[in-house]
């Protein structure tokens, strides 16, 4: 079974640019989650999509947005990039998101560096 | 609001000795608790979960965790540490429905040969 895949592995941008990160969940998983892992700050929850709908959103500005496609893959878009956006962005997927006993399965992340 | 505390930034243990990584939580309603491990330059891997039932939960790679409702704790344990267990460990909690999962800041485990 293929795991969660994220692309690209690394992304280098400059301040003010826009970044698009992509995630393909495990086959059969309908929920996709996005997290930001900045050095020393642990995992910060960004967004949760389930069945194409946004189910929950973390405390991030509106320039962080995303969507989930009919095949359950997802995109995270970050506009007007700032230096502090430099981080590892992790995507996770799970079976039906509303079921509390479902663990999340993580991809290896996209390392976003802002110059 | 729900929260997770991992009070130790780093835990050092000698190979072969038992290890404990501490976690306390706060959540409204029933807690649903998870432990994950992260190796360098990788995503998180699921280790074990507590949903309901027995307070001692067994998971992957010989790890187990003890749920203590009165102390609101969910400590991760292993009877005999391996050098290959050295990694970053995250405790997580969620409530019911579409409440998000909240992760702790992580504890670095260093197993010394």
């Amino acid at each position: 079974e293929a795991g969660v895949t994220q692309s690209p592995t690394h992304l280098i941008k400059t301040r003010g640019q826009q970044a698009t990160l992509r995630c393909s969940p495990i086959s059969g998983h309908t929920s996709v989650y996005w997290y930001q892992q900045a050095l020393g700050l642990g995992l910060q929850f960004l967004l949760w999509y389930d069945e194409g709908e946004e189910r929950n959103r973390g405390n991030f500005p509106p320039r962080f947005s995303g969507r989930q496609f009919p095949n359950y893959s997802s995109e995270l878009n970050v506009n007007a990039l700032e230096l502090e956006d430099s981080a590892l962005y992790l995507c996770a997927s799970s079976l039906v998101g509303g079921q509390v006993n479902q663990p999340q399965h993580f991809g290896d992340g996209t390392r976003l560096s802002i110059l | 609001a729900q929260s997770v505390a991992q009070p130790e930034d780093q835990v050092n243990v000698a190979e072969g000795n038992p290890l404990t990584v501490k976690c306390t939580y706060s959540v409204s309603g029933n807690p649903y608790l998870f432990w994950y491990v992260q190796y360098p330059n990788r995503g998180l891997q699921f280790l074990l979960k507590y949903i309901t039932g027995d307070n001692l939960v067994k998971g992957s790679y010989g790890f187990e965790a003890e749920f203590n409702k009165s102390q609101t704790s969910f400590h991760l344990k292993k009877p005999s540490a391996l050098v290959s267990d050295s990694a970053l460990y995250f405790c997580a909690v969620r409530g019911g429905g579409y409440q998000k999962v909240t992760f702790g800041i992580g504890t670095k485990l260093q197993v010394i040969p």
Side-chain angles (χ1 to χ4, degrees):
Chain A
E1 168 184 270
V4 176
T5 58
Q6 292 187 244
S7 63
T9 306
H10 294 91
L11 191 56
I12 300 174
K13 295 285 186 179
T14 58
R15 287 176 60 189
Q17 283 189 315
Q18 184 254 354
T20 298
L21 287 62
R22 296 179 175 85
C23 173
S24 292
I26 291 173
S27 177
H29 287 192
T30 62
S31 270
V32 170
Y33 313 79
W34 287 97
Y35 294 89
Q36 182 193 68
Q37 187 177 21
L39 199 62
L41 294 179
L43 265 71
Q44 303 297 313
F45 169 73
L46 273 163
L47 290 160
W48 176 0
Y49 293 97
D50 182 61
E51 296 281 1
E53 301 284 333
E54 183 179 299
R55 298 297 183 185
N56 207 325
R57 182 182 177 87
N59 295 325
F60 279 83
R63 59 190 185 84
F64 287 84
S65 65
R67 55 179 171 167
Q68 186 178 33
F69 299 99
N71 66 353
Y72 303 115
S73 67
S74 178
E75 262 182 13
L76 174 69
N77 294 291
V78 188
N79 294 321
L81 287 164
E82 300 178 2
L83 292 176
E84 54 263 34
D85 296 334
S86 293
L88 181 67
Y89 288 82
L90 292 168
C91 173
S93 73
S94 74
L95 292 169
V96 178
Q99 293 182 0
V100 296
N101 63 341
Q102 297 299 323
Q104 297 179 15
H105 299 264
F106 284 79
D108 287 338
T110 293
R111 174 74 61 185
L112 177 61
S113 299
I114 312 303
L115 303 179
Chain B
Q2 59 195 38
S3 64
V4 174
Q6 293 183 242
E8 302 153 318
D9 290 338
Q10 181 160 333
V11 170
N12 296 320
V13 63
E15 186 177 23
N17 282 2
L19 68 87
T20 299
V21 182
K22 295 180 180 177
C23 171
T24 59
Y25 66 90
S26 173
V27 66
S28 299
N30 293 324
Y32 304 101
L33 298 155
F34 304 82
W35 275 100
Y36 292 84
V37 61
Q38 186 179 33
Y39 296 98
N41 301 312
R42 301 297 303 275
L44 279 67
Q45 295 178 33
F46 168 69
L47 278 177
L48 50 80
K49 64 183 178 183
Y50 172 83
I51 304 300
T52 187
D54 290 341
N55 291 339
L56 186 64
V57 178
K58 294 189 182 297
S60 306
Y61 313 119
F63 284 94
E64 57 190 27
E66 187 169 11
F67 171 66
N68 187 315
K69 188 174 182 178
S70 62
Q71 297 185 5
T72 61
S73 67
F74 189 55
H75 300 331
L76 181 70
K77 300 182 179 185
K78 188 174 182 181
S80 178
L82 300 173
V83 173
S84 57
D85 293 331
S86 298
L88 189 57
Y89 290 80
F90 290 93
C91 180
V93 67
R94 68 171 289 180
Y98 284 105
Q99 292 189 50
K100 67 179 183 181
V101 177
T102 298
F103 286 82
I105 201 163
T107 297
K108 183 178 180 181
L109 174 66
Q110 189 77 30
V111 180
I112 303 161

